[in-house]
Amino acid sequence: MNTFSIITLPPERWQEYKSLRLQSLKNDPIAFARTYQEDAALTDAQWQNRLQDKPDRESYMLFAQIEGKLVGMSGAIFYQGSCVEHRATIVSVYVAPEYRGQGIAKRIMQSLMDYLQKTPKIVHVQLTVNTTNLAAIKLYQELGFNKIGILEKFGKVNNEFIDAYMMIKILDK
């Protein structure tokens, strides 16, 4: 088994992030809300901005790396505005196929949840997951997420609609 570490990524490593993200969209197109073509068209500045560490940040990304190579990622998007600033949405959960089954997704998600637990305003964490992604559903349930409903025709890939579960976790604070 490979030894991996969980890290944040400085903006100067944006090309590695871009490569992993585009790989994820090619390998698992039904797992994401954007297409390979849409993300491939982003500018260099847009990729760099996604990794900026700002006090008023709108998102937070974590990565798994093995010997300096990015092999997984997960992130959270934060809502702006006083009525919704207590919520975060988990996004971009991915581990490269050749590294799956080593506990990487669980470690990334645990690290992300630890970060969210320490973020003062966040008490409601939500995510959506394809109803056929049994491994991800099991992981999220192990982390304390509960299914609250099915979002019918939530996504569309190759002209086929995909259903997703909405899952939430309320943080103890």
Side-chain angles (χ1 to χ4, degrees), residues 126-141:
Q126 63 190 35
L127 59 85
T128 55
V129 60
N130 177 331
T131 58
T132 62
N133 192 341
L134 302 180
I137 294 164
K138 180 181 177 199
L139 169 63
Y140 301 144
Q141 288 175 325

Side-chain angles (χ1 to χ4, degrees), residues 20-32 36 94-98 100:
L20 183 66
R21 172 70 178 178
L22 293 177
Q23 175 191 11
S24 73
L25 294 169
K26 271 187 179 177
N27 289 341
D28 293 317
I30 66 172
F32 298 95
Y36 176 89
Y94 176 77
V95 174
E98 63 271 28
R100 293 178 184 168

Side-chain angles (χ1 to χ4, degrees), residues 22-62:
L22 293 177
Q23 175 191 11
S24 73
L25 294 169
K26 271 187 179 177
N27 289 341
D28 293 317
I30 66 172
F32 298 95
R34 291 179 55 89
T35 67
Y36 176 89
Q37 293 78 9
E38 289 166 342
D39 273 15
L42 294 175
T43 67
D44 294 353
Q46 287 172 303
W47 286 104
Q48 293 165 10
N49 190 49
R50 288 180 171 191
L51 298 175
Q52 293 294 331
D53 187 11
K54 302 174 282 194
D56 61 341
R57 71 177 346 139
E58 294 178 7
S59 65
Y60 180 75
M61 291 293 297
L62 286 177

Side-chain angles (χ1 to χ4, degrees), residues 7 11 15 23 35 38 63 75 91 94-95 106 113 115 146 149:
I7 62 166
Q15 290 173 313
Q23 175 191 11
T35 67
E38 289 166 342
F63 298 86
V91 296
Y94 176 77
V95 174
K106 186 171 189 173
M113 294 307 296
Y115 175 83
N146 295 302

Side-chain angles (χ1 to χ4, degrees), residues 38-155:
E38 289 166 342
D39 273 15
L42 294 175
T43 67
D44 294 353
Q46 287 172 303
W47 286 104
Q48 293 165 10
N49 190 49
R50 288 180 171 191
L51 298 175
Q52 293 294 331
D53 187 11
K54 302 174 282 194
D56 61 341
R57 71 177 346 139
E58 294 178 7
S59 65
Y60 180 75
M61 291 293 297
L62 286 177
F63 298 86
Q65 72 175 0
I66 295 175
E67 296 177 3
K69 177 186 176 187
L70 297 184
V71 299
M73 64 183 169
S74 181
I77 295 175
F78 303 107
Y79 291 84
Q80 307 299 312
S82 60
C83 295
V84 292
E85 66 188 1
H86 64 285
R87 293 183 359 207
T89 297
I90 303 294
V91 296
S92 301
V93 180
Y94 176 77
V95 174
E98 63 271 28
Y99 295 99
R100 293 178 184 168
Q102 299 180 39
I104 295 172
K106 186 171 189 173
R107 245 307 276 290
I108 294 173
M109 283 295 297
Q110 284 174 329
S111 297
L112 184 58
M113 294 307 296
D114 289 347
Y115 175 83
L116 294 174
Q117 183 69 42
K118 293 175 188 169
T119 304
K121 293 180 181 177
I122 302 300
V123 295
H124 174 108
V125 183
Q126 63 190 35
L127 59 85
T128 55
V129 60
N130 177 331
T131 58
T132 62
N133 192 341
L134 302 180
I137 294 164
K138 180 181 177 199
L139 169 63
Y140 301 144
Q141 288 175 325
E142 288 174 2
L143 293 170
F145 284 85
N146 295 302
K147 293 181 203 172
I148 61 165
I150 294 179
L151 303 169
E152 295 179 3
K153 297 185 179 186
F154 183 71

